[in-house]
């Protein structure tokens, strides 16, 4: 309050234009306003829905057809969603039929691209093909040898190690739904691993996260990933040893 009893506006509200975080939302007494409470509950419902959303395999197959690559549909050892959520380890390995299916494909490629549901299939349904529409031309124009695209249900990031090793790809790149938060339930992450093989942990990977319409734009994410792919191949490594020094983006 000013000396004349006039209440000033919340100075935090000016920052709302820069973030989706809940800042400057005001209060009523010691609590937030009813409007903000309802918005919070709605965001929480969206996050829960995202965790239980299903991979739109038919839609993905239709979108991927433009790239003229074989597409393999696979499944982890987690048989259903509740099991996937309660037993994370099952989502890191391919089930037996999927492992056998990969053996039918000739091994050897520069990169295998994997699309997986993760913790938000809705994010992948919305963002994966849009990202690849920018990334694929870069890879093709630079003469990369591409393995069949793999679409995987009930998967965790580490399943890319199984797939990359089976196809003997130098790099695995998995596009996967990130854990939904209360400001973003549609965020997709991309994890790159050089020399994928069983037993790797997260420090062996590079991650580009928050890929979505109101986060990191698809074109910008594709340029970042293309840079990382080239650096990984040139230096024969990924993860904490591969530094992201890209300042200029993709140059065709």
């Amino acid at each position: 309050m000013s000396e004349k009893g006039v209440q000033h506006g919340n100075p935090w509200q000016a920052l709302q234009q820069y973030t989706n975080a809940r800042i400057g939302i005001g209060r009523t007494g010691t609590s937030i306003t009813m409007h903000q409470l309802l918005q919070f509950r709605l965001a929480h419902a969206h996050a829960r829905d995202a965790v239980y959303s299903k991979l739109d395999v038919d839609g993905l197959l239709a979108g991927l057809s433009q790239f003229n690559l074989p597409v393999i549909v696979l499944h982890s050892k987690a048989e259903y969603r509740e099991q996937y959520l309660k037993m994370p380890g099952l989502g890191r390995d391919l089930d037996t039929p999927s492992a056998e299916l990969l053996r039918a494909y000739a091994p050897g490629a520069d990169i295998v691209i994997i699309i997986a549901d993760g913790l938000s299939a809705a994010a992948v349904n919305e963002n994966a093909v849009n990202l690849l529409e920018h990334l694929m031309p870069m890879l093709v124009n630079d003469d990369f040898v591409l393995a069949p695209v793999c679409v995987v249900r009930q998967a965790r990031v580490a399943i890319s190690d199984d797939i990359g090793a089976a196809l003997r790809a130098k790099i695995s790149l998995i596009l996967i739904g990130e854990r939904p938060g209360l400001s973003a339930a549609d965020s997709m992450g991309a994890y790159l691993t050089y020399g994928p093989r069983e037993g790797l942990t997260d420090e062996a990977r590079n991650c580009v996260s928050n890929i979505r319409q109101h986060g990191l734009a698809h074109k910008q994410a594709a340029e970042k990933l293309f840079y990382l792919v080239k650096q990984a191949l040139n230096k024969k490594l990924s993860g904490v040893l591969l530094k992201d020094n890209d300042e200029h983006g993709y140059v065709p």
Side-chain angles (χ1 to χ4, degrees), residues 23-148:
I23 61 174
I25 59 176
R27 63 187 176 89
T28 299
T30 59
S31 182
I32 62 176
T33 66
M34 178 61 71
H35 173 74
Q36 290 296 336
L37 176 61
L38 294 175
Q39 290 295 106
F40 178 86
R41 290 180 175 175
L42 179 62
H44 188 262
H46 284 319
R48 289 179 58 87
D49 287 345
V51 168
Y52 284 94
S53 58
K54 294 182 179 181
L55 205 60
D56 180 11
V57 174
D58 291 339
L60 289 171
L61 293 178
L64 293 170
S65 64
Q66 64 185 292
F67 305 122
N68 298 316
L69 285 171
V71 180
I72 314 172
V73 180
L74 306 170
H75 205 289
S76 77
K77 289 182 177 178
E79 297 180 7
Y80 51 91
R81 198 61 176 171
E82 287 75 13
Q83 187 183 53
Y84 168 86
L85 294 172
K86 292 179 180 179
M87 305 177 69
L90 295 178
R92 299 186 180 108
D93 298 319
L94 290 171
D95 64 10
T96 299
S98 295
E100 293 176 350
L101 181 60
L102 287 180
R103 296 192 187 102
Y105 290 84
D110 291 321
I111 183 170
V112 56
I113 294 174
I114 303 154
I115 300 173
D117 43 13
L119 288 169
S120 177
V124 176
N125 296 338
E126 183 175 338
N127 296 294
V129 173
N130 290 330
L131 170 66
L132 292 177
E133 286 176 345
H134 296 285
L135 179 60
M136 283 293 196
M138 301 179 194
L139 297 173
V140 171
N141 290 340
D142 221 54
D143 296 325
F144 281 89
V145 178
L146 302 174

Side-chain angles (χ1 to χ4, degrees), residues 159-226:
I159 207 165
S160 61
D161 297 335
D162 276 7
I163 296 171
L167 295 175
R168 296 185 190 172
K170 296 176 183 176
I171 288 176
S172 65
L173 175 63
I174 184 168
L175 310 179
I176 192 167
E178 295 182 315
R179 184 185 304 275
L182 294 177
S183 60
D186 59 347
S187 179
M188 184 180 74
Y191 292 80
L192 178 150
T193 308
Y194 181 84
R197 61 191 183 277
E198 185 179 356
L200 292 179
T201 49
D202 287 344
E203 81 277 358
R205 316 185 199 283
N206 292 87
C207 176
V208 177
S209 63
N210 196 32
I211 303 170
R212 61 191 182 97
Q213 182 179 0
H214 300 293
L216 183 63
H218 299 125
K219 183 175 184 295
Q220 185 179 356
E223 291 173 349
K224 182 68 65 178
L225 288 169
F226 181 72

